Amino acid sequence: MEVVIIEDEDLAAESLEKLLLKSEHKLTIKKRLESVAQSIEWFKSNSCDLILSDIHLGDGESFEIFETLKITTPIIFTTAFDKYAIQSFQFFAIDYLLKPYDKHKLDKALGKYVDYTATPTADHGQIEHLLAHLKGATDSKTEQERFLVYRGDKLLSITHKEIAYFMAENKSLFLYTTTGESYLYDDTILNLELKLSKKDFFKINRKFIVRHNAIKTIVKYSQNRLKIELEPSPNIKDFIFISSKNVNAFKAWLNK
């Protein structure tokens, strides 16, 4: 099997490479990628049999790679944080290894890939069943209604009704209120999406999750793209576009 490693920490990548080369399974390490941007660029014109990917990278989360390119290559996620387990199975996850892992656990995960290639239809059905189960577990969770932020040394608790939108910018996430105030919020946009009310909030692209009442105007920009204006206006120079893949879902959300 041809394996690609997505890992930005040199020591972690070297350790994984050594474990892979000692594995009982026959494999070749085709490429090591170190960032979201590099991975997206590489996978546009390259492929492999299996991906072993960390989740936290220097320029974002690896979920962005698979969300952007709709990659269907089987993935073994490796991470030091177990909170991403459910989120990882939104993609073509074969297994989820929590760091630190050893040769035995890695070989067991690789064995799942081998089993998958032997009976892809059956295993794909198992993955879909797991996805449905995990999605149901996520949907049944209580939606987050209060958000803790800092104003200097003071702590503020902001209700979901006071929020206009969230904006990701340069590895940080900002919460904007309906009154125009903005606060740094300690989370990621992908993780946050799972906690918010799907009725009230919509992730329009990789940078913005917006609320109904924050949308000031919607303009048809091209055949399959929409441009929106938010109120209060974020402190950015670029236009805000609805991702082409999200246009139909966005229209359906507005029409509910």
Side-chain angles (χ1 to χ4, degrees):
M1 70 184 85
E2 289 187 333
V3 173
V4 166
I5 297 171
I6 303 176
E7 173 63 72
D8 64 339
E9 296 181 9
D10 290 339
L11 289 177
E14 290 170 9
S15 175
L16 177 55
E17 288 175 8
K18 288 178 182 178
L19 289 176
L20 286 170
L21 294 175
K22 292 178 181 178
S23 171
E24 62 190 44
H25 302 284
K26 293 182 180 180
L27 56 86
T28 301
I29 300 174
K30 186 173 183 178
K31 184 75 174 179
R32 176 199 165 188
L33 302 166
E34 300 181 35
S35 67
V36 171
Q38 183 189 19
S39 299
I40 289 175
E41 191 61 32
W42 191 86
F43 277 110
K44 284 180 180 178
S45 55
N46 297 277
S47 63
C48 63
D49 299 315
L50 176 65
I51 299 169
L52 286 101
S53 178
D54 194 0
I55 292 177
H56 270 292
L57 302 174
D59 59 344
E61 294 175 355
S62 61
F63 295 142
E64 296 177 44
I65 304 163
F66 314 118
E67 184 181 55
T68 299
L69 299 178
K70 300 299 182 184
I71 290 175
T72 57
T73 302
I75 306 163
I76 296 174
F77 283 102
T78 63
T79 181
F81 305 96
D82 60 0
K83 67 178 182 178
Y84 295 102
I86 291 177
Q87 201 171 347
S88 72
F89 283 97
Q90 295 181 36
F91 307 99
F92 215 76
I94 293 293
D95 207 347
Y96 184 96
L97 293 177
L98 196 61
K99 296 178 181 179
Y101 49 84
D102 54 21
K103 180 179 178 295
H104 172 71
K105 289 181 180 178
L106 179 60
D107 277 339
K108 188 175 180 181
L110 293 171
K112 290 185 180 181
Y113 168 75
V114 173
D115 291 342
Y116 167 77
T117 57
T119 56
T121 303
D123 279 3
H124 182 67
Q126 291 174 15
I127 291 171
E128 290 298 324
H129 178 74
L130 179 58
L131 261 172
H133 174 74
L134 290 170
K135 185 177 185 300
T138 303
D139 290 344
S140 65
K141 289 183 178 180
T142 303
E143 294 160 349
Q144 186 169 339
E145 294 187 348
R146 303 192 71 86
F147 300 80
L148 193 65
V149 297
Y150 283 91
R151 176 185 282 166
D153 294 332
K154 295 181 179 180
L155 285 170
L156 300 177
S157 182
I158 297 176
T159 70
H160 67 105
K161 293 181 180 179
E162 297 175 89
I163 297 171
Y165 53 87
F166 293 89
M167 181 183 76
E169 184 75 13
N170 296 327
K171 301 180 186 179
S172 297
L173 183 66
F174 295 91
L175 181 159
Y176 279 75
T177 68
T178 55
T179 55
E181 297 172 303
S182 64
Y183 303 93
L184 190 64
Y185 187 66
D186 186 20
D187 208 335
T188 67
I189 200 163
L190 284 170
N191 193 45
L192 182 64
E193 185 184 13
L194 300 174
K195 304 175 184 179
L196 296 170
S197 164
K198 290 179 173 56
K199 177 182 177 183
D200 296 327
F201 291 92
F202 189 89
K203 183 184 173 189
I204 59 172
N205 55 37
R206 288 190 296 166
K207 292 185 64 172
F208 283 93
I209 296 178
V210 304
R211 193 182 183 92
H212 282 99
N213 58 0
I215 300 172
K216 184 177 180 180
T217 61
I218 306 172
V219 179
K220 186 175 181 181
Y221 188 79
S222 64
Q223 187 173 357
N224 60 351
R225 296 184 78 189
L226 298 175
K227 181 177 73 173
I228 72 169
E229 183 180 358
L230 296 176
E231 189 174 36
S233 178
N235 187 26
I236 58 173
K237 296 179 181 179
D238 298 330
F239 293 125
I240 302 171
F241 294 102
I242 311 296
S243 300
S244 56
K245 65 180 181 181
N246 290 338
V247 167
N248 289 336
F250 176 69
K251 290 179 179 177
W253 175 70
L254 288 175
N255 202 38
K256 283 184 180 178

